[in-house]
Amino acid sequence: LPLALARMIGRAEIIATLSARMQRQRLVTIVGPGGIGKTTLALGISETMLAAYPDVVTAAPRRTSVPAP
């Protein structure tokens, strides 16, 4: 996982909730407008899941631009 550039503040409850949900469901989708911290939240959840699933938790590279046709 990438290193966190900043400490998350005020996200402990949602991280705990979504981490518990991921124990029961294969897929959890985080949606919202750009800039609200979806990626940061996903990385926080991944860090909590890493101890339980060390061989499964990974971060996929993000594509920031679409190549021209």
Side-chain angles (χ1 to χ4, degrees):
L1 296 174
L3 293 174
L5 298 177
R7 199 182 84 168
M8 279 190 288
I9 299 172
R11 298 289 180 104
E13 184 177 341
I14 190 67
I15 288 174
T17 299
L18 292 178
S19 295
R21 185 172 291 176
M22 289 192 71
Q23 301 280 337
R24 301 183 312 269
Q25 294 177 232
R26 288 182 59 169
L27 178 66
V28 174
T29 304
I30 303 169
V31 297
I36 64 167
K38 296 177 299 291
T39 301
T40 301
L41 182 61
L43 289 172
I45 294 165
S46 298
E47 287 177 8
T48 65
M49 302 298 289
L50 192 57
Y53 304 99
D55 297 329
V56 178
V57 175
T58 187
R62 296 183 331 156
R63 178 176 282 187
T64 57
S65 62
V66 177

